[in-house]
Amino acid sequence: RQPLSPCVAGERLCSTEEATAGSGTYTRHGFIFSSLAGCLEKKSEDNELPVVSVVRDSESQLLPNVGAVVTCKVCSINSRFAKVHILYVGSTPLKSTFRGTIRREDIRATEKDKVEVYKSFRPSDIVLAKVISLGDAQSNYLLSTAENELGVVVARSEAGVQMVPISWCEMQCPRTHTKEFRKVARVQPQFLQT
């Protein structure tokens, strides 16, 4: 067995005279091509042609899909949107960080025109959101927190203490009792991460 080398979908791997096409590959015009992104694997049996197959790298497979609930951390906010880093898809931690954007109009389901980003999120908040599209050239995922279950799940007050949700739009610092506005998630048990 040779060491695995990464390949992309559609990549020409070798000619059909050198090897036999295995799983994750297809043949065209006498050549073997990769049909998916993954790692190239060559297995030789006795004196026969080696079998070339492409195996998916289980780590690279996990991507935020449209409709997936993701856990993200707010990096920056402005009047139009919040920029976030996606950390988990469902309950699975991601190996690499993906960037996401929560636009002002996707924060709440009602009274969208009255939403203010800084009253919904603050940098370093942990937010549950749903992927609504795979974004643009900057590879930003567009996210929404318009459902009741979505929104801020963990936020720290200015005193550095984890705040407690007291309503769907406010959290309170247990130490200083100051209240801060947030788009609070009504977290369902399956999304709670310890």
Side-chain angles (χ1 to χ4, degrees):
R1 259 176 108 166
Q2 292 183 332
L4 302 181
S5 59
C7 59
V8 294
E11 188 177 323
R12 191 167 91 178
L13 305 174
C14 61
S15 83
T16 49
E17 291 166 14
E18 298 170 56
T20 313
S23 62
T25 66
Y26 62 93
T27 55
R28 184 177 292 156
H29 308 305
F31 289 98
I32 300 174
F33 293 86
S34 168
S35 63
L36 46 88
C39 290
L40 179 63
E41 205 176 52
K42 240 182 191 173
K43 284 184 185 160
S44 305
E45 301 278 323
D46 300 328
N47 296 330
E48 294 174 34
L49 282 176
V51 177
V52 172
S53 49
V54 176
V55 280
R56 272 223 165 128
D57 179 357
S58 56
E59 292 177 4
S60 67
Q61 200 175 351
L62 188 71
L63 292 170
N65 287 326
V66 173
V69 173
V70 295
T71 305
C72 40
K73 185 175 187 174
V74 179
C75 307
S76 63
I77 57 171
N78 65 27
S79 59
R80 295 192 327 279
F81 52 77
K83 290 268 185 214
V84 300
H85 280 152
I86 300 171
L87 309 171
Y88 287 79
V89 173
S91 58
T92 311
L94 291 170
K95 297 280 181 281
S96 52
T97 333
F98 293 95
R99 289 199 304 261
T101 303
I102 305 170
R103 297 176 303 188
R104 199 182 87 160
E105 59 268 29
D106 297 322
I107 291 176
R108 280 211 317 248
T110 55
E111 299 181 319
K112 293 181 181 193
D113 51 332
K114 293 182 182 164
V115 173
E116 292 179 72
V117 178
Y118 76 95
K119 284 188 174 179
S120 305
F121 309 115
R122 298 279 170 87
S124 82
D125 284 358
I126 302 297
V127 174
L128 272 182
K130 190 172 265 186
V131 179
I132 52 174
S133 94
L134 300 184
D136 51 23
Q138 283 92 45
S139 72
N140 269 351
Y141 285 83
L142 284 181
L143 308 174
S144 164
T145 55
E147 295 168 37
N148 290 341
E149 288 74 38
L150 306 175
V152 176
V153 285
V154 178
R156 297 204 175 278
S157 66
E158 287 175 8
V161 181
Q162 188 167 324
M163 294 198 290
V164 180
I166 52 172
S167 76
W168 61 274
C169 64
E170 278 185 308
M171 287 182 143
Q172 187 171 28
C173 173
R175 186 184 296 162
T176 62
H177 303 294
T178 46
K179 295 176 186 175
E180 292 183 24
F181 286 106
R182 290 292 196 284
K183 195 296 181 183
V184 180
R186 188 182 73 210
V187 182
Q188 293 181 321
Q190 72 258 34
F191 294 129
L192 279 173
Q193 281 158 12
T194 48

